Amino acid sequence: MATMTEDISLADIPDLSALSNDSGGGSTWQDGWHAATVLQERSFTDRNGNDRLFASSDAPSAAGDSRNIRLQVEVRRSDGQKMYSSYLVNYRHEDLQSDTVQAVIADNIKEQADQDPSLTRARLTLARLSKLQKVAGVRNFARTSEGGLNISAVFGKTCFARLGEDRRNPQYKEIKDLKADTPKKVL
């Protein structure tokens, strides 16, 4: 073993990656359902000492042709370990129009093979918004004066978040789905 006065080579330093307790992802968080809470906002001080604030919101998308609901979520493992992430739902105003909703409902009644592919985006969007309504315990979200949805009813609600591999960086996890009802297996 090298003494304090001797030079240590990289070969002398063992791989310590298994000791990492990184709350952002990696192998410490399994894919699957975990208990979660939707937060109105979360704040922390980053590694550089800067105060950071992330707030849940419903705001216009960068392109301006749709809106993004971005929720801040605290995810918990059964051992008490916590991870913070965001969950995004993108929607267009036409997805929420009564004729679109009625077409999606009628289309869901038809056989899967006969479903109208032009309604696919609206169907997925409405399913995600329906799950958020169930988490919030409301029948529908009211409109805001800015044209978005008032999502305040979902703040502080407990639910379940399904984690999976992050599309941008497989070393991390992202929230793939939220649900109000207890899944068969919670990690």
Side-chain angles (χ1 to χ4, degrees), residues 19-148:
L19 299 176
S20 174
N21 193 10
D22 179 11
S23 65
S27 63
T28 60
W29 286 85
Q30 293 180 358
D31 291 354
W33 291 101
H34 298 268
T37 303
V38 179
L39 306 173
Q40 182 172 358
E41 62 184 29
R42 67 182 177 96
S43 61
F44 64 96
T45 303
D46 67 17
R47 292 179 182 165
N48 297 323
N50 300 315
D51 291 332
R52 304 289 304 248
L53 176 71
F54 292 98
S56 292
S57 64
D58 180 335
S61 66
D65 61 348
S66 61
R67 296 189 65 87
N68 290 325
I69 295 174
R70 185 173 305 279
L71 299 176
Q72 300 304 314
V73 181
E74 176 188 86
V75 182
R76 296 175 305 280
R77 286 194 318 218
S78 58
D79 66 1
Q81 184 74 24
K82 296 178 183 177
M83 175 179 82
Y84 296 92
S85 188
S86 61
Y87 180 69
L88 179 73
V89 176
N90 175 272
Y91 68 94
R92 294 183 177 151
H93 289 292
E94 52 269 18
D95 295 337
L96 305 177
Q97 292 176 345
S98 61
D99 58 334
T100 303
V101 173
Q102 292 304 318
V104 167
I105 291 169
D107 202 46
N108 280 343
I109 295 171
K110 292 195 290 182
E111 292 294 320
Q112 193 76 11
D114 294 339
Q115 288 184 339
D116 183 353
S118 68
L119 293 175
T120 300
R121 183 190 191 292
R123 184 182 305 107
L124 294 172
T125 298
L126 293 173
R128 293 183 97 185
L129 287 172
S130 173
K131 289 177 184 182
L132 287 184
Q133 288 174 341
K134 287 178 184 173
V135 168
V138 298
R139 190 169 164 95
N140 56 23
F141 291 115
R143 291 278 190 173
T144 64
S145 59
E146 296 85 32

